[in-house]
Amino acid sequence: MPTNSADSDYKLSIIIPAYNEERRIGKTLERYLEYFEHKYGHDCEILVVLNGCRDDTESVVKNYVNQSAILKYVNFPEPIGKGGAIAKGFVLAQGEFVAYTDADGSAGPEMIDRLFRFLQENPNFACAIGSRNLPESRTLGRTAFRKLLTKSFNWLVNLLFNLQIQDTQCGAKVLTKEMVNRILPGLYIAGLSFDVNLLVEVRKNGGKIAEIPIDWFDDHDSTITNPLKSSVVMFLSVLQIKITNSPLRKKLLWLKPFTDWLWSLVLSKKEREYLKIKH
């Protein structure tokens, strides 16, 4: 069961979803553990959520768990998607504030701390997100193709949901545990459009979202093996979120056979199941 913020054991919980990250997660954990153990000690926990790993990620993480009092991990043997892993982490997190970031360390620990401190100092906000697209942000290693994909996707998301957010997909977000508990029932996209699902739910639940400049290093060693396929899946997922949240949802049920057919062109039935968060 989710922990109420009033009963939290920590000030901050940091969730790191991991899928086949044996080559990258060690360096990320070293940086995060050194930073947060030194600055917050036992007021912080770091939770690695392994999902469907077929490499030696678990052994790497175990080695660091044995050396740290604030590091924990949980392993789901079958793939549950990045969003699914984060949602499972949300349930297990015991902090008053809950963050999540990518296993590749593209956003350093200082960036998560920046978002965390913003929420502490601005209690009228429920969510703080890093943005790579603000003028004050510094990014390294981002290719022109990735920038184009990100801006095109953000344009679509803002067109459909009017979020007025310049970077929905940045892997650095912090929320209050209170807001996490409120939005959990509405999180159902386990794939890469999880962030859009989350931000839409925060807004639906009356939460204010702050977009904060961030320093970001783009890691080209991505676990996304088929960017074109992933882009199509993200597009279909966003349309699904739009239909689900439409006041005309019941009148749009006739579209379901058509949308199911579109999904079948891109993913197998088993793959489609992995894209759904199972509460």
Side-chain angles (χ1 to χ4, degrees):
M1 292 292 292
T3 307
N4 293 324
S5 59
D7 301 323
S8 296
D9 295 325
Y10 305 97
K11 283 289 183 183
L12 176 65
S13 297
I14 303 170
I15 299 164
I16 303 178
Y19 170 72
N20 292 343
E21 292 287 356
E22 66 173 345
R23 290 177 295 174
R24 305 190 294 185
I25 198 167
K27 186 178 294 186
T28 299
L29 290 178
E30 284 179 8
R31 293 170 63 201
Y32 270 75
L33 289 171
E34 180 180 3
Y35 183 92
F36 284 102
E37 281 184 330
H38 174 74
K39 188 162 186 180
Y40 296 111
H42 293 286
D43 282 338
C44 173
E45 66 169 347
I46 299 176
L47 175 62
V48 180
V49 184
L50 284 70
N51 97 94
C53 293
R54 299 292 180 262
D55 62 1
D56 209 27
T57 303
E58 184 176 15
S59 296
V60 175
V61 174
K62 269 186 178 180
N63 181 54
Y64 285 94
V65 168
N66 292 334
Q67 303 173 41
S68 172
I70 71 168
L71 180 62
K72 308 170 184 178
Y73 88 95
V74 60
N75 185 19
F76 293 91
E78 294 301 319
I80 56 175
K82 175 184 174 181
I86 295 169
K88 296 295 185 184
F90 279 167
V91 174
L92 297 170
Q94 300 179 60
E96 183 181 352
F97 297 86
V98 184
Y100 66 89
T101 190
D102 295 335
D104 62 10
S106 292
E110 301 87 352
M111 299 300 102
I112 296 298
D113 193 27
R114 177 184 294 178
L115 304 180
F116 169 52
R117 286 187 286 107
F118 176 89
L119 288 185
Q120 283 188 308
E121 296 164 4
N122 298 272
N124 55 320
F125 283 87
C127 177
I129 66 176
S131 176
R132 297 161 293 188
N133 295 333
L134 294 175
E136 305 91 337
S137 298
R138 297 190 302 171
T139 61
L140 292 173
R142 295 186 79 198
T143 64
F145 179 67
R146 284 200 175 191
K147 288 180 181 178
L148 177 62
L149 283 180
T150 299
K151 289 188 176 181
S152 300
F153 186 74
N154 281 325
W155 175 85
L156 174 65
V157 169
N158 284 309
L159 176 68
L160 293 176
F161 303 102
N162 194 30
L163 290 176
Q164 297 181 8
I165 290 173
Q166 295 192 44
D167 187 1
T168 61
Q169 301 307 111
C170 181
K173 293 180 174 64
V174 183
L175 301 89
T176 64
K177 180 63 172 179
E178 179 184 1
M179 179 54 67
V180 166
N181 290 340
R182 288 165 65 180
I183 67 174
L184 260 174
L187 300 179
Y188 56 91
I189 300 292
L192 296 176
S193 294
F194 169 83
D195 296 87
V196 178
N197 186 184
L198 179 141
L199 294 172
V200 168
E201 287 299 311
V202 171
R203 283 281 172 82
K204 278 175 58 180
N205 282 275
K208 291 183 66 176
I209 301 169
E211 199 168 8
I212 309 296
I214 196 169
D215 296 342
W216 180 272
F217 176 76
D218 222 12
D219 190 336
H220 294 169
D221 188 18
S222 174
T223 55
I224 298 174
T225 56
N226 191 331
L228 180 58
K229 179 178 178 179
S230 297
S231 298
V232 174
V233 170
M234 289 174 71
F235 172 74
L236 291 175
S237 297
V238 167
L239 289 183
Q240 181 181 344
I241 296 170
K242 180 63 177 179
I243 292 172
T244 300
N245 287 278
S246 171
L248 302 175
R249 179 184 176 185
K250 291 183 178 179
K251 295 183 179 180
L252 295 174
L253 289 177
W254 63 272
L255 284 172
K256 190 174 187 307
F258 176 67
T259 57
D260 288 345
W261 174 73
L262 287 178
W263 277 112
S264 70
L265 295 178
V266 184
L267 299 174
S268 68
K269 184 177 180 180
K270 190 173 184 179
E271 286 176 319
R272 295 200 296 276
E273 282 300 309
Y274 290 154
L275 287 179
K276 299 176 183 177
I277 291 176
K278 298 170 180 64
H279 293 288

